[in-house]
Amino acid sequence: MKKLTTLLLALMLLAFASCKKDPIETNDDEKVRVSCTVSLSDDGKSDFTNLMTDASVNWSEGWERVYVAIHGATPTIIELKSWAEGNPSKLEFEGEAAKDLITDGTEYDIWYFGHSQQLDEPFVELTGNTLTGSIANQSGRLADIGYCHIAKTKVTAETIDGEVVLNLNGTLQNQIAIALLDLNNVTELFGDAIKGTEYTLAYNENAGKFELDVMEANDVKISVESATGISYVVLLPNEEKETMIKNKQGVKTYAYTFHNGIKANKIYHRTASDGTTAEALKWSEVPTTGTTNGHEWVDLGLPSGLKWATCNVGASSPEDYGDYFAWGETSPKAEYIWENSVTYGEQMSDISGNAQYDAATANWGGSWRMPTKEQMEELVEHCEWEWTQVNGVNGAKVIGPNGSCIFLPAAGLRFGTSLGNDGDNGYYWSSTPYFNDYNNFNFAYYLNFDDGYENYYYRDYGMPVRPITE
């Protein structure tokens, strides 16, 4: 194991191979050449991306690219390219831009998105003025961190002999974090530490500048392709709150908790007892049962890592039917009809976690919320379902991939003042509204024991709610 100081130095610098100038013809009077030079230090290392190559990191020859974000009235992204080979003292990036698009003395952002990997095309896709990319697939090897790397800094424009020269104003700062993990027998990482893996660089009109946006998703995962032993993973920053990264080995789930969230430009590792040696973060086995805000949950081992409550809202035991709610309402009532429905005919977005409309959040608080249609789909597709009885109550035993289970009573549904199909079928609201091409906003998706999750029904009907939590 390397000493901590060596590791941090190794991860803060990146060696680039030499560059070969790619002549760009600019016969068009409306175009100007744009260039940016990156100097490499005498020992062949560069602070260009705060990474470095040691004996185990081999950056191949090929095209390297940076992207200049031009803000203002004509937001534009310009690609600059450099050919890397050998062991040069500098890399010269070149491209072209519309004349007068870049103004002398003005600062612009310059971005780096991964390494070319000898590809003819870049590691991100530039469509119009939007860059898209992903960190979803990683090898876990130090040598490949650069493929998922994102960094940025400022440049100042200067026109010299008709060419726009962009002068770097400092080190490109990481927009990602790096975690040192033990990835033995690990093929997939998930959990709320991974708020998303797909990202875009797009213009934000309200902010007046290009911004990196991460597409958040509850079921996002990072595929680990060929990691062995102690390995490295690139993570996109997450909110400043307790957040976990997880993996499964057999039927058990393991996690590491980042207590203050994940911050850009940081390296996460443990320090050994000698005070200098860097070691992998320590995984802890995740219990399959627990309590949040006084309500019990079960971890079924689902891909998303979500936990399902053991009881319906308003129930005192798993077999108790609990309360019935019209969709988007947080209290039970004596009569369920469209005239007293709060959301019937209203255009709504997903209500999961919205205490005004989510019966789970409103009644249980904390992180409890109604499941979305997709999360109900996960429950259907990844679990075994058995018709059974608990204390004489009919319902479905739902067995997760890790062998844990929950019981959903066949509580039926309410319309008007009547209860129907209780004991014969189960109906559970999701948080996801349904509407059709006729702008009909009278429906929402629900789970039906007979037909699975692909159902929608009138919002004024009363159904139970089974909450989920992280």
Side-chain angles (χ1 to χ4, degrees):
M1 179 69 68
K2 297 181 181 178
K3 295 296 184 184
L4 176 60
T5 53
T6 303
L7 173 66
L8 294 179
L9 176 61
L11 288 170
M12 293 300 292
L13 302 173
L14 169 66
F16 280 96
S18 67
C19 72
K20 178 172 67 178
K21 206 167 187 178
D22 177 36
I24 297 176
E25 298 297 331
T26 55
N27 294 327
D28 187 347
D29 291 337
E30 300 304 313
K31 299 281 188 181
V32 294
R33 180 187 294 276
V34 181
S35 66
C36 180
T37 300
V38 178
S39 297
L40 306 180
S41 58
D42 293 339
D43 57 1
K45 300 172 184 176
S46 168
D47 62 358
F48 183 51
T49 60
N50 290 342
L51 291 176
M52 113 174 227
T53 330
D54 61 13
S56 65
V57 184
N58 299 304
W59 295 91
S60 58
E61 296 180 353
W63 289 107
E64 292 288 352
R65 294 168 170 84
V66 294
Y67 297 88
V68 186
I70 311 296
H71 313 306
T74 310
T76 308
I77 293 178
I78 299 172
E79 180 184 79
L80 307 181
K81 297 165 60 176
S82 179
W83 178 263
E85 64 179 347
N87 185 25
S89 60
K90 62 183 178 180
L91 285 174
E92 296 177 343
F93 291 85
E94 294 186 346
E96 63 179 18
K99 192 174 182 181
D100 300 326
L101 178 65
I102 303 177
T103 306
D104 272 18
T106 302
E107 273 196 338
Y108 301 96
D109 292 333
I110 192 164
W111 291 80
Y112 176 74
F113 291 92
H115 170 272
S116 65
Q117 200 179 7
Q118 292 186 321
L119 299 175
D120 292 332
E121 298 298 325
F123 206 65
V124 291
E125 181 177 346
L126 176 59
T127 304
N129 286 327
T130 302
L131 275 165
T132 58
S134 174
I135 64 165
N137 294 291
Q138 302 183 35
S139 71
R141 297 184 305 240
L142 176 62
D144 295 336
I145 286 179
Y147 301 156
C148 299
H149 192 59
I150 306 171
K152 86 167 194 177
T153 191
K154 299 284 187 181
V155 291
T156 300
E158 180 183 8
T159 301
I160 301 176
D161 297 331
E163 176 178 333
V164 175
V165 178
L166 300 174
N167 299 304
L168 284 172
N169 296 346
T171 301
L172 276 85
Q173 293 292 307
N174 278 320
Q175 305 301 298
I176 50 92
I178 298 170
L180 183 61
L181 301 169
D182 183 351
L183 296 182
N184 273 311
N185 303 315
V186 175
T187 59
E188 189 174 270
L189 297 168
F190 60 97
D192 60 355
I194 306 172
K195 70 172 181 179
T197 60
E198 308 297 317
Y199 59 82
T200 64
L201 180 66
Y203 192 72
N204 183 330
E205 291 187 1
N206 293 328
K209 61 182 180 179
F210 282 91
E211 292 182 341
L212 188 72
D213 181 42
V214 180
M215 275 62 77
E216 299 190 35
N218 290 327
D219 58 351
V220 70
K221 296 179 285 290
I222 289 178
S223 297
V224 180
E225 298 173 341
S226 58
T228 56
I230 307 304
S231 303
Y232 299 84
V233 173
V234 169
L235 299 173
L236 291 164
N238 209 332
E239 292 78 8
E240 293 185 6
K241 62 178 184 180
E242 185 170 279
T243 182
M244 300 174 74
I245 188 168
K246 301 179 182 179
N247 76 80
K248 284 189 175 65
Q249 297 182 40
V251 297
K252 294 184 177 181
T253 300
Y254 297 86
Y256 174 79
T257 301
F258 300 88
H259 291 287
N260 298 312
I262 298 172
K263 299 176 176 61
N265 206 30
K266 285 185 69 71
I267 302 163
Y268 292 92
H269 61 86
R270 296 171 64 223
T271 302
S273 57
D274 62 13
T276 58
T277 305
E279 294 183 346
L281 302 177
K282 188 175 182 180
W283 295 110
S284 298
E285 184 175 343
V286 178
T288 57
T289 60
T291 301
T292 297
N293 251 27
H295 299 279
E296 295 180 354
W297 51 259
V298 174
D299 183 353
L300 298 169
L302 296 168
S304 66
L306 290 172
K307 306 174 183 73
W308 282 76
T310 59
C311 297
N312 295 341
V313 175
S316 58
S317 65
E319 68 272 20
D320 184 358
Y321 289 173
D323 294 328
Y324 295 78
F325 303 90
W327 189 85
E329 298 183 20
T330 59
S331 299
K333 52 191 179 182
E335 188 176 18
Y336 295 82
I337 54 177
W338 71 265
E339 289 90 346
N340 66 14
S341 171
V342 172
T343 67
Y344 194 87
E346 298 293 326
Q347 185 172 359
M348 306 278 290
S349 57
D350 198 289
I351 61 173
S352 183
N354 185 335
Q356 182 178 353
Y357 302 106
D358 185 327
T361 304
N363 287 279
W364 285 13
S367 60
W368 290 109
R369 62 186 186 273
M370 293 171 66
T372 65
K373 171 181 174 289
E374 289 74 22
Q375 289 159 350
M376 282 188 160
E377 176 182 359
E378 180 186 53
L379 188 72
V380 171
E381 293 189 348
H382 291 275
C383 296
E384 296 181 12
W385 289 63
E386 297 179 358
W387 186 257
T388 188
Q389 281 191 345
V390 172
N391 294 328
V393 176
N394 290 337
K397 181 181 181 181
V398 184
I399 307 168
N402 64 1
S404 298
C405 63
I406 58 173
F407 178 72
L408 297 175
L413 77 170
R414 288 190 174 276
F415 183 68
T417 59
S418 300
L419 173 63
N421 287 344
D422 56 309
D424 295 324
N425 206 342
Y427 307 84
Y428 287 80
W429 279 129
S430 82
S431 62
T432 306
Y434 169 87
F435 63 91
N436 55 32
D437 293 337
Y438 303 102
N439 293 322
N440 190 333
F441 305 111
N442 301 331
F443 304 96
Y445 285 99
Y446 74 106
L447 171 68
N448 182 324
F449 284 4
D450 285 344
D451 303 320
Y453 66 92
E454 285 288 359
N455 294 276
Y456 56 90
Y457 215 65
Y458 291 100
R459 297 178 185 176
D460 52 329
Y461 277 65
M463 297 185 192
V465 168
R466 178 60 64 95
I468 59 169
T469 187
E470 300 292 348

